[in-house]
Amino acid sequence: MTTDDDNLETLSRGMCRRAESLLRRSGIVEAWRQAGAEVNVVGSLRMGLMMRHRDIDLHIYSSPLTLEGSFGVMARIAASPNIGRIECRNLIATEERCVEWHVEWHEAEGEMWSIDMIHIERGSRYDGYFERMADGVNRVATPGMRRTILRLKWETPPTEHIMGVEYYRAVIEGGVRTYGEFERWRAAHPVEGVLEWIP
């Protein structure tokens, strides 16, 4: 596949459609909603800016947030034969007030998707934060900026782990347009922990 902007946009739309199809078929969103939680898509799928990585990000809100409730939903999700590895981080006692679930989902044709489900206490610090960030990117990013973001993601070496928000901030706030500029921007703006930025 050549990598002109039209093809990158086509690839991104295809990735988003596959991610949405997976969510519909998996029953994951329904499992959380049946437990009384609110489920929101965040990250690159919410912004329509998926590229190489088969990652789906969900933020899930409950009040109260309990380990028992979170594990109860995950026990139902884990019963799917498509589920592989599951990782959990208990951050309820931190300012993040959440339980992080990281899941491998294996499609019939052999593709593996990563699904991050962050189960957050309603009313805590990050309640709605990343939804607002994604919606802010969608509001201010021009078509040219969106094409630049997709190209930067495409040109990123597969071994390099870069948070999506680093691309969005560099392009929207920093005016970055090439991968070389992006590398210099990252060197000048190192990130530790959660990058809090809303355009």
Side-chain angles (χ1 to χ4, degrees), residues 2 13 21 46 54 81 106 114 146 149 157 160 165 190 193:
T2 58
R13 286 192 296 270
S21 172
R46 188 181 184 102
R54 293 186 290 271
H106 298 271
S114 297
R146 294 176 66 86
I149 290 165
E160 189 81 13
V165 65

Side-chain angles (χ1 to χ4, degrees), residues 43 45 48 68 71-73 87 122 124 132 143 170 172 188:
L45 177 55
E68 294 81 3
F71 270 84
V73 175
E87 295 181 358
R122 174 61 73 197
S124 61
R132 293 191 295 276
I172 294 170

Side-chain angles (χ1 to χ4, degrees), residues 160-179:
E160 189 81 13
H161 178 72
I162 299 175
M163 293 186 293
V165 65
E166 294 184 77
Y167 296 102
Y168 315 139
R169 183 185 180 201
V171 171
I172 294 170
E173 181 180 299
V176 163
R177 292 298 178 264
T178 69
Y179 195 78

Side-chain angles (χ1 to χ4, degrees), residues 14-189:
M15 287 286 286
C16 290
R17 284 194 298 268
R18 285 152 59 197
E20 290 163 353
S21 172
L22 187 160
L23 284 178
R24 285 194 300 270
R25 292 180 283 107
S26 69
I28 287 172
V29 172
E30 289 73 17
W32 288 107
R33 287 177 176 164
Q34 287 169 7
E38 176 186 344
V39 183
N40 292 332
V41 173
V42 295
S44 58
L45 177 55
R46 188 181 184 102
M47 289 175 274
L49 291 169
M50 299 189 79
M51 185 42 60
R52 290 182 184 270
H53 298 293
R54 293 186 290 271
D55 297 328
I56 298 172
D57 298 300
L58 301 176
H59 280 193
I60 299 145
Y61 299 95
S62 294
S63 180
L65 170 62
T66 66
L67 275 179
E68 294 81 3
S70 204
F71 270 84
V73 175
M74 285 305 301
R76 295 196 293 278
I77 292 171
S80 169
N82 299 85
I83 293 289
R85 181 172 180 166
I86 297 177
E87 295 181 358
C88 175
R89 293 183 68 207
N90 175 9
L91 300 177
I92 290 178
T94 73
E95 68 175 355
E96 296 183 42
R97 302 292 297 169
C98 69
V99 181
E100 291 187 0
W101 294 101
H102 306 283
V103 170
E104 291 179 355
W105 177 277
H106 298 271
E107 291 282 57
E109 62 272 21
E111 280 189 350
M112 194 277 284
W113 287 73
S114 297
I115 306 174
D116 292 339
M117 293 171 273
I118 313 303
H119 193 189
I120 302 169
E121 182 177 71
R122 174 61 73 197
S124 61
R125 176 174 179 173
Y126 292 110
D127 181 346
Y129 184 89
F130 292 95
E131 291 89 335
R132 293 191 295 276
M133 186 272 284
D135 294 345
V137 169
N138 280 338
R139 183 175 62 254
V140 305
T142 65
M145 288 177 180
R146 294 176 66 86
R147 287 191 292 270
T148 298
I149 290 165
L150 292 178
R151 178 161 292 281
L152 293 176
K153 288 185 173 186
W154 177 263
E155 293 176 353
T156 299
T159 55
E160 189 81 13
H161 178 72
I162 299 175
M163 293 186 293
V165 65
E166 294 184 77
Y167 296 102
Y168 315 139
R169 183 185 180 201
V171 171
I172 294 170
E173 181 180 299
V176 163
R177 292 298 178 264
T178 69
Y179 195 78
E181 291 175 356
F182 181 52
E183 289 181 308
R184 292 189 288 275
W185 168 270
R186 291 190 74 220
H189 301 83

